Amino acid sequence: MTLDEHLLRLARQASGRWADAQHQAELAKADYHHAVRLLHLGGASLREIADALDISHQRVHQIVDASSEGGGWKPRKKVSAEPVCGFCGRSKGEVTRLVAGPGVFICDSCVAVARDVIREPRLAGMPRTHIDAVPPTAAVHCTFCGESGDQVDALVAGPGVRICNRCVQICDEIVTARHG
Ligand SMILES: [Zn+2]
Ligand SMILES: [Zn+2]
């Protein structure tokens, strides 16, 4: 009894498609969760989000909460020490906007630099703010959302802090929304 070549080929193709589909599903899920967190950060209540997306209140809670466990996003409330940007070290009073992650902050200008570095890695190492593109591997995590490097498209690092392309985008939207 030998293996049927044709069926074997079909099996291999299907297996490849399945792996691709799983990867796509992971990415879609991550995007979905990021978007829900963004809605929450934007001020929508869990109830409002649940109703709008037609999912349970508990589910929204899990999504928003899952990020805070691994050190995810939290609406900025009780911060004891004066918050400073983790990338450039400037304090709240020295910048236009400070966006909070889990025990870490990023200022509006560093968001802009991070965005530029993600778009064009050669821009890394600006004089004022040192932000470098880092290879997005499983070994490194975004300090803001806790996602590992292999789950995101791009990751940039400052001194001891890292932020992924999605979090930069979220911060960017927060900064822009509050500006305008
Ligand atoms: Zn900064
Ligand atoms: Zn992130």
Side-chain angles (χ1 to χ4, degrees):
M1 179 90 181
T2 56
L3 284 167
D4 183 303
E5 279 300 325
H6 179 67
L7 286 177
L8 194 57
R9 206 160 48 238
L10 281 182
R12 285 196 181 117
Q13 281 169 0
S15 156
R17 281 208 313 278
W18 186 37
D20 284 349
Q22 279 180 319
H23 184 63
Q24 289 302 323
E26 285 292 319
L27 292 180
K29 184 176 152 196
D31 281 346
Y32 171 46
H33 287 188
H34 267 84
V36 169
R37 281 169 215 150
L38 180 57
L39 283 169
H40 183 54
L41 280 170
S45 72
L46 299 183
R47 173 58 65 195
E48 283 170 335
I49 298 170
D51 286 348
L53 292 176
D54 202 19
I55 54 178
S56 73
H57 175 264
Q58 195 190 1
R59 184 78 198 101
V60 180
H61 191 73
Q62 278 169 357
I63 293 171
V64 172
D65 228 38
S67 61
S68 43
E69 276 166 20
W73 292 87
K74 272 186 198 122
R76 202 161 95 236
K77 269 178 197 148
K78 41 181 190 220
V79 180
S80 47
E82 180 171 36
V84 297
C85 172
F87 292 81
C88 68
R90 283 184 290 173
S91 68
K92 200 166 176 254
E94 296 174 277
V95 300
T96 313
R97 250 321 143 189
L98 214 48
V99 183
V104 60
F105 297 87
I106 184 167
C107 75
D108 55 314
S109 55
C110 288
V111 169
V113 175
R115 199 186 51 209
D116 289 345
V117 172
I118 284 170
R119 212 178 285 155
E120 184 49 81
R122 277 179 304 149
L123 290 174
M126 308 275 286
R128 170 140 209 174
T129 307
H130 200 88
I131 296 181
D132 284 314
V134 291
T137 64
V140 288
H141 292 75
C142 171
T143 316
F144 285 75
C145 68
E147 206 79 75
S148 65
D150 57 349
Q151 298 290 317
V152 301
D153 290 334
L155 209 56
V156 295
V161 283
R162 283 179 295 273
I163 188 164
C164 72
N165 59 306
R166 290 200 196 100
C167 289
V168 168
Q169 202 194 332
I170 290 173
C171 291
D172 197 29
E173 284 171 33
I174 290 172
V175 168
T176 320
R178 289 187 187 166
H179 262 203

